[in-house]
């Protein structure tokens, strides 16, 4: 923010005043109460937030917590360069449960390329001392991870090793804030906004090298950049502002109480992040309604035509919003990193496919939903009580799309931190990419729809039931069996049996899950197989094993 186009910081207070903190707390509590929010995330940022000092930081945390806690749980974070991190600060953060993220660009050489004191001395040893404190048992629970800004002049392998040496619980990578006017540093040639997928390589090569090191190492810690892209490839929320089409629900509050859009927009032009609102005169609802924020909550409809027509749009989401800026065309453009993201995503998808996780290769498909259109003649026939084969087929296809959308919503809004859930979802997506007809049979099962609707209703009310969540394992397992895939998959147990949709119920006993080899239908140990009522010219399945019947 100090080195880019918008220099509005020069006219603002250097510190967050107590009266401003009190008004901010009031506005956040007002917003949380109005929307029945159970939790609100607050990140103390900067500049460098530790420059406020322990006493003023305590006052700020106490003021915010007192205002918000009666209404919603304040989920507190601080992001720092780590230079001033000491035991006094960490004891304070334990008291208020403030999680700590630290900016570190890798090893000493990478750090010292940009993070020096004004006299030219290295800050690296001070940062490492702060991280050593943060890793102590009494503080370790506060440590959220490291954020590394990518500099292609640094060795990606050395950067990766330097970050891992600090034993982070998670890592994240940040591409340099750039746009079509101020392009990324180190390019061999300027990027062409009229042909955004051409060129590239400088940043994709660096990121691919980092991905290879992380992947070859067994993915030892979550690395948000890659985890977000992989999640989007499999149809799950990316969980990141930079990728995917998830709604962005972020608001910045400046030191004078001004309400602004994400501060990285300040790299585009003066006033790019401005809303004209502040906490003294305006509610947060008013800020949420401004076009610059609502456009980032519209999914694919909120990005430009070039990106909407791209097969990778579900994964990259058009790229980081500030990186799309082009003078004269605003933000209705692909990211200046478009070519790099394309190369990275395609490389990661191939890696997933080579590892037998083929769903990622085709999950980044054209996002245009297929519309079901009924002709006037077909409508008239159905309206009269009849319908030819084409009309009935249309009804079936429309219902199938509804089923798929409901299950897709389960994948988007289900518990992303639950490994059982995400493993089942990734298997289902992989099967759908390779053998969609097998998945289609299971999704067409009427009680799959009942389950999906019930689970989504529970998610909307914040009342998740484990049995409902883990039924996704049964759906994925049934699809794997129908596909004849030679994989070992779990089926969750309910009431002493393990229901397998479209097949019946498996012998279970006292176990919580039954593991089956999906490659053989004959090998299924069905204690209650589905039965059929048959008569001349008709056969009707009697489904009395599904828990959602």
């Amino acid at each position: 923010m100090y080195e880019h186009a918008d220099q509005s910081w020069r006219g603002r207070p250097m510190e967050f005043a107590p009266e401003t903190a009190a008004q901010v707390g009031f506005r956040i509590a007002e917003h949380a109460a109005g929307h029945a929010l159970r939790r609100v995330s607050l990140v103390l940022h900067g500049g460098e937030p530790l420059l406020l000092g322990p006493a003023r930081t305590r006052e700020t945390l106490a003021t915010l917590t007192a205002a918000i806690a009666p209404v919603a749980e304040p989920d507190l974070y601080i992001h720092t360069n780590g230079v001033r991190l000491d035991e006094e600060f960490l004891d304070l953060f334990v008291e208020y449960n403030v999680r700590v993220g630290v900016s570190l660009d890798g090893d000493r050489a990478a750090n010292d390329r940009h993070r020096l004191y004004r006299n030219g001395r290295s800050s690296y040893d001070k940062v490492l001392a702060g991280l050593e404190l943060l890793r102590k048992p009494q503080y370790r629970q506060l440590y959220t991870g490291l954020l590394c800004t990518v500099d292609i002049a640094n060795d990606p392998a050395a950067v990766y090793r330097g970050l891992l040496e600090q034993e982070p619980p998670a890592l994240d990578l940040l591409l340099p804030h750039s746009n079509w006017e101020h392009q990324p540093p180190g390019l061999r040639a300027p990027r062409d906004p009229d042909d955004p997928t051409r060129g590239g390589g400088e940043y994709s090569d660096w990121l691919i090298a980092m991905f290879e090191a992380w992947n070859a190492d067994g993915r030892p810690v979550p690395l948000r950049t890659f985890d977000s892209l992989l999640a989007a490839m499999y149809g799950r929320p990316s969980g990141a502002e930079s990728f995917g089409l998830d709604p962005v629900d972020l608001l910045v509050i400046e030191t004078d109480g001004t309400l602004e859009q994400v501060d990285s927009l300040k790299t585009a032009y003066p006033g790019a992040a401005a809303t004209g609102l502040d906490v003294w005169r305006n509610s947060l609802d008013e800020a949420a309604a401004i076009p610059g924020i609502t456009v980032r909550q519209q999914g694919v409809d909120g990005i430009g035509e070039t990106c909407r027509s791209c097969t990778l749009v579900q994964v990259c989401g058009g790229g980081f919003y500030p990186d799309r800026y082009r003078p004269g065309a605003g933000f209705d453009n692909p990211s200046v990193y478009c070519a790099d993201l394309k190369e990275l995503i395609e490389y990661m998808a191939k890696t997933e496919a080579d590892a037998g996780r083929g769903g990622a290769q085709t999950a980044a498909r054209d996002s245009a939903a297929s519309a079901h259109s009924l002709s006037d003649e077909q409508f008239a026939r159905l309206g009269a009580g009849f319908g030819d084969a084409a009309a009935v087929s249309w009804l079936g296809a429309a219902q199938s799309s509804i089923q798929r959308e409901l299950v897709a919503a389960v994948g988007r809004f289900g518990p992303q931190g639950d490994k059982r859930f995400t493993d089942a979802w990734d298997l289902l997506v992989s099967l759908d990419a390779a053998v969609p007809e097998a998945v289609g049979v299971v999704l067409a099962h009427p009680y799959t729809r009942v389950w999906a609707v019930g689970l989504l209703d529970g998610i909307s009310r914040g009342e998740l039931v484990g049995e409902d969540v883990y039924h996704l394992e049964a759906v994925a397992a049934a699809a794997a069996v129908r596909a004849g895939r030679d994989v070992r998959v779990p089926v969750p147990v309910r009431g002493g049996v393990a229901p397998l949709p479209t097949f019946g119920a498996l012998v279970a006993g006292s176990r919580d899950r039954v593991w089956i080899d999906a490659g053989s239908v004959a090998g299924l140990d069905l204690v209650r197989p589905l039965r059929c009522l048959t008569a001349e010219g008709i056969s009707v399945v009697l489904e009395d094993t599904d828990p959602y019947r």
Side-chain angles (χ1 to χ4, degrees):
M1 61 182 285
Y2 298 115
E3 300 175 8
H4 289 279
D6 189 308
Q7 292 289 297
S8 56
W9 64 271
R10 294 180 180 276
R12 293 199 170 108
M14 294 297 291
E15 298 179 347
F16 204 40
E19 58 271 21
T20 307
Q23 185 65 13
V24 167
F26 166 74
R27 288 301 187 191
I28 293 175
E30 175 187 55
H31 185 75
H35 295 273
L37 301 179
R38 297 183 177 185
R39 177 177 295 178
V40 179
S41 293
L42 294 87
V43 183
L44 306 182
H45 214 280
E48 172 47 52
L50 298 189
L51 287 172
L52 195 58
R56 288 288 306 281
T57 301
R58 172 180 290 280
E59 184 179 9
T60 300
L61 292 172
T63 300
L64 292 171
T65 301
I68 300 166
V71 178
E73 180 183 352
D75 207 6
L76 298 166
Y77 298 85
I78 194 163
H79 198 88
T80 171
N81 61 26
V83 169
R84 295 174 61 89
L85 202 57
D86 59 20
E87 289 182 343
E88 187 176 4
F89 268 121
L90 289 173
D91 288 338
L92 173 62
F93 297 155
V94 168
E95 182 179 344
Y96 284 92
N97 193 29
V98 181
R99 268 73 60 82
V100 181
V102 178
S103 292
L104 180 67
D105 293 340
D107 59 346
R108 181 182 294 275
N111 177 86
D112 290 354
R113 195 177 297 278
H114 299 288
R115 298 182 183 273
L116 300 172
Y117 292 109
R118 286 190 176 184
N119 62 9
R121 290 189 300 110
S122 170
S123 64
Y124 188 67
D125 291 333
K126 291 284 288 185
V127 179
L128 261 55
L131 288 170
E132 185 177 3
L133 275 177
L134 192 54
R135 291 196 302 271
K136 286 190 171 183
Q138 65 267 40
Y139 304 128
R140 177 77 194 193
Q141 76 275 12
L142 304 177
Y143 191 10
T144 61
L146 300 174
L147 174 64
C148 167
T149 300
V150 173
D151 186 334
I152 58 175
N154 294 326
D155 176 4
V159 167
Y160 174 71
R161 290 192 302 271
L163 295 172
L164 275 195
E165 285 173 1
Q166 303 310 312
E167 302 175 18
L171 295 172
D172 198 4
L173 302 174
L174 177 68
L175 289 169
H177 291 314
S178 306
N179 54 54
W180 292 105
E181 181 179 23
H182 303 289
Q183 297 201 5
L187 298 183
R188 289 185 286 269
R191 304 281 172 86
D192 181 2
D194 295 318
D195 192 4
T197 62
R198 187 176 180 182
E202 299 94 331
Y203 284 86
S204 57
D205 287 349
W206 198 97
L207 291 168
I208 286 170
M210 177 70 86
F211 175 76
E212 286 177 335
W214 177 69
N215 193 52
D217 216 10
R219 305 180 181 181
V221 297
L223 205 163
R224 188 183 187 196
T225 306
F226 303 139
D227 285 332
S228 297
L229 290 172
L230 289 168
M233 287 179 189
Y234 285 108
R236 293 189 270 114
S238 72
E241 183 190 359
S242 305
F243 307 114
L245 295 170
D246 305 351
V248 175
D249 55 357
L250 178 66
L251 187 69
V252 171
I253 305 179
E254 289 286 357
T255 52
D256 59 356
T258 298
L259 299 174
E260 294 202 335
Q261 300 175 65
V262 58
D263 50 1
S264 47
L265 286 172
K266 295 179 179 182
T267 62
Y269 57 88
T275 66
L277 309 178
D278 61 61
V279 295
W280 308 104
R281 299 172 299 135
N282 308 103
S283 69
L284 302 194
D285 276 2
E286 291 177 74
I290 68 168
I293 289 178
T294 59
V295 72
R296 303 189 67 191
Q297 300 179 330
Q298 296 172 0
V300 73
D301 293 330
I303 60 178
E305 182 179 353
T306 301
C307 292
R308 286 199 300 270
S309 63
C310 176
T311 58
L312 301 181
V313 66
Q314 292 283 7
V315 182
C316 81
F320 191 36
Y321 191 75
D323 295 342
R324 304 177 203 169
Y325 176 69
R326 178 186 181 186
F331 297 92
D332 193 16
N333 315 282
S335 164
V336 71
Y337 292 105
C338 178
D340 300 286
L341 293 175
K342 180 175 184 293
E343 289 183 12
L344 173 63
I345 291 167
E346 289 177 345
Y347 181 87
M348 291 174 63
K350 183 179 183 304
T351 301
E352 290 293 283
D354 291 345
R357 299 183 290 268
Q361 197 167 20
T362 51
R365 291 179 291 192
D366 194 334
S367 64
S370 58
H372 295 281
S373 179
L374 188 66
S375 70
D376 291 342
E377 184 180 354
Q378 289 172 331
F379 183 82
R381 290 180 182 178
L382 288 170
F386 302 96
D388 59 11
V392 174
S393 176
W394 178 89
L395 287 174
Q399 290 301 308
S400 176
S401 286
I402 292 172
Q403 304 269 89
R404 296 181 73 86
E405 284 299 316
L406 286 168
V407 175
V410 166
R412 285 196 301 273
F413 301 114
Q416 303 303 313
D418 191 309
K419 191 173 187 303
R420 284 180 61 179
F421 179 86
T422 56
D423 283 353
W425 178 253
D426 291 351
L427 172 62
L428 191 63
V429 172
S430 294
L431 291 169
D432 192 41
V435 276
E437 61 280 357
V439 175
V441 171
V442 180
L443 297 191
H445 189 52
Y447 300 125
T448 298
R449 181 171 185 163
V450 176
W451 159 73
V453 169
L455 180 56
L456 290 169
D457 181 55
I459 290 170
S460 70
R461 290 183 284 106
E463 299 175 0
L464 283 181
V465 177
E467 287 186 337
D468 295 333
V469 169
Y470 298 137
H471 187 69
L472 181 64
E473 290 180 325
V475 172
V481 173
R482 290 205 165 272
R485 280 301 177 92
D486 188 19
V487 293
R488 190 163 172 78
V489 293
V491 182
V493 174
R494 304 173 70 143
V497 296
L500 189 64
T502 73
F503 289 101
L506 300 158
V507 176
S510 60
R511 294 169 289 178
D512 66 336
R513 288 194 289 177
V514 174
W515 288 82
I516 62 172
D517 295 314
S520 172
V521 177
L524 294 178
D525 189 8
L526 292 168
V527 65
R528 290 161 58 191
L530 295 189
R531 297 166 293 161
C532 290
L533 177 66
T534 58
E536 187 176 346
I538 189 171
S539 178
V540 179
V541 174
L542 299 179
E543 170 57 278
D544 60 354
T545 65
D546 195 288
Y548 298 95
R549 64 187 185 280

